[in-house]
Amino acid sequence: MEHVTGATLLVATRKGLFTWQREGTAWRLMSNTPDFPGEPVSMVLHDARDGTDYAALNLGHFGVKLWGRTRDANEWTELTPPAFAPQTQQSESSASDVQAPSVELIWSLEAAGPDAPGVLWAGTIPGGLFRSGDHGQHWELVQSLWDRPERAEWMGGGYDHAGIHSICIDPHNSRQVMVAVSTGGVWRTRDDGHTWALAASGMEADYMPPERRLDPNAQDVHRLVQCHDAPNALWAQHHNGIFRTLDYGASWRRIQAAPSSFGFAVAVDPHDPDVAWFVPAQRDACRIPVDARLVVTRTRDGGESFTALSHGLPETPSYDLIYRHGLDIDATGRTLAMGSTTGALWISNNAGEQWECVSAHLPPIYAVRFI
């Protein structure tokens, strides 16, 4: 592997938040005791604007929690997590309020750009989008999206309720935000969330009746990522394949890849919109690697061709599945991290050409994110 500089990787798992530090070409676990030991960390975010880390926890019966840690602090501070207001819904038969939904999972956390200091976005199950203007101290439901009549048709993919798992903020204009819903398509705002429009034209839902196959609101997007240097270019790993847009969601093109176009994770080179990585699984009803062989596929020509990358990945039969947030790329576009449901963590310092297993015995990994 080539010589690389230092970096930090945050790994959110079912039993805590682990931190790896790169020193030269070697990766070192910072502590044998993770942050939040034994607790499920559903999402983690490092805000590069001020160095604050955020961790979302899913404690089941005890609800969701949100914690923050500033750059100079050693300890985490509990924050108020996103929550639905009591009057989010009203009964159709009377004027009395009905019970508001509860946030079951914080599925995505993202920071806006330098042009929107303090602004954070969170996506939840059920499908709520929340915005904070004060570094996560307070959250407000984005009512304009919640009140869209199309939301009545959203449905759960792998969960009982629909959820927002991907939030893509234009790195050059924080008023432009795109979110993906499983299952409810892709939605776009150009005015900081005041108005929304569906942006999934061209996607295809093979699981729907023929008359609704192309319905933008019926698309089950597994993961959505945006190229930093070319923000009009986005890649989507969809339930029925891989899709790409070059016009900020106005139109999408379906792409076929071998050994499979099914999967959950996708990463795009931050500098080159034609370069992207995927982790294929066999199919919906059999969510294991094709032929029990774990590979990462990469395209360098916008999806015209794909290369299977497996050097350093298991040679024996492997049944690892990579969740939608289990693959990440750093700002250089050279270093990738990948974590599996069976607790294995791999890192590549050369764009996926060679992988190193830095741990094979972690709890199931929910998300990996570079600092």
Side-chain angles (χ1 to χ4, degrees):
M1 284 190 169
E2 62 193 68
H3 177 75
V4 290
T5 58
T8 301
L9 178 68
L10 301 175
V11 182
T13 79
R14 195 170 71 184
K15 295 184 180 180
L17 175 63
F18 296 82
T19 302
W20 260 265
Q21 184 75 41
R22 183 172 60 190
E23 300 172 351
T25 59
W27 288 85
R28 180 170 64 90
L29 180 63
M30 298 302 293
S31 173
N32 291 334
T33 302
D35 293 312
F36 314 107
E39 297 183 337
V41 181
S42 64
M43 184 49 58
V44 61
L45 168 68
H46 174 78
D47 188 346
R49 298 170 301 178
D50 61 10
T52 301
D53 295 325
Y54 298 90
L57 278 63
N58 176 21
L59 302 184
H61 177 75
F62 298 101
V64 299
K65 304 292 181 182
L66 182 66
W67 294 79
R69 180 178 59 187
T70 60
R71 186 194 306 270
D72 300 324
N74 293 323
E75 301 295 330
W76 293 85
T77 300
E78 188 169 5
L79 305 172
T80 300
F84 292 95
Q87 296 182 355
T88 298
Q89 294 179 332
Q90 283 193 334
S91 170
E92 296 180 357
S93 59
S94 69
S96 61
D97 295 332
V98 299
Q99 184 177 359
S102 298
V103 172
E104 300 174 7
L105 182 73
I106 297 176
W107 212 3
S108 52
L109 280 172
E110 297 294 344
D115 58 335
V119 174
L120 302 174
W121 295 81
T124 68
I125 297 177
L129 180 66
F130 292 82
R131 185 183 186 277
S132 170
D134 55 6
H135 307 275
Q137 297 295 324
H138 303 88
W139 295 87
E140 290 186 2
L141 176 68
V142 180
Q143 202 74 42
S144 54
L145 183 59
W146 182 261
D147 289 340
R148 292 287 307 201
E150 297 91 339
R151 190 180 62 80
E153 294 187 336
W154 292 3
M155 59 184 177
Y159 290 92
D160 292 336
H161 303 290
I164 295 176
H165 51 71
S166 297
I167 304 171
C168 297
I169 304 166
D170 189 325
H172 312 298
N173 180 4
S174 291
R175 293 176 60 82
Q176 296 196 144
V177 182
M178 192 175 289
V179 302
V181 186
S182 181
T183 300
V186 176
W187 290 81
R188 178 183 63 204
T189 179
R190 296 185 183 272
D191 54 13
D192 205 28
H194 293 289
T195 60
W196 295 86
L198 269 166
S201 179
M203 290 186 173
E204 305 170 18
D206 298 341
Y207 47 82
M208 295 297 291
E211 65 273 14
R212 294 203 60 193
R213 181 170 168 270
L214 301 180
D215 184 348
N217 198 47
Q219 304 302 319
D220 184 6
V221 181
H222 287 175
R223 184 76 169 110
L224 180 71
V225 294
Q226 181 177 39
C227 178
H228 181 277
D229 291 355
N232 285 339
L234 296 98
W235 290 85
Q237 174 64 70
H238 184 287
H239 191 85
N240 289 132
I242 296 167
F243 291 85
R244 188 190 189 207
T245 179
L246 295 175
D247 52 17
Y248 202 57
S251 61
W252 293 83
R253 177 173 67 94
R254 190 171 185 173
I255 295 171
Q256 297 295 332
S260 169
S261 296
F262 180 83
F264 293 92
V266 53
V268 60
D269 189 303
H271 311 299
D272 189 342
D274 288 339
V275 181
W277 294 261
F278 302 84
V279 189
Q282 187 164 324
R283 61 182 184 276
D284 174 32
C286 189
R287 300 183 179 189
I288 60 174
V290 179
D291 297 327
R293 180 171 178 258
L294 180 64
V295 300
V296 175
T297 56
R298 181 185 62 201
T299 179
R300 285 178 162 169
D301 52 16
E304 296 299 321
S305 63
F306 287 82
T307 301
L309 307 171
S310 61
H311 186 63
L313 298 179
E315 297 182 359
T316 56
S318 171
Y319 302 95
D320 298 79
L321 183 70
I322 311 302
Y323 281 147
R324 62 197 75 209
H325 300 111
L327 178 69
D328 195 28
I329 189 167
D330 76 345
T332 71
R334 297 290 297 166
T335 303
L336 292 149
M338 180 173 67
S340 81
T341 56
T342 48
L345 176 65
W346 295 273
I347 298 177
S348 171
N349 292 324
N350 53 11
E353 293 289 342
Q354 183 176 350
W355 296 87
E356 176 189 1
C357 182
V358 298
S359 180
H361 303 289
L362 291 172
I365 296 172
Y366 295 146
V368 295
R369 302 195 80 161
F370 284 106
I371 295 178

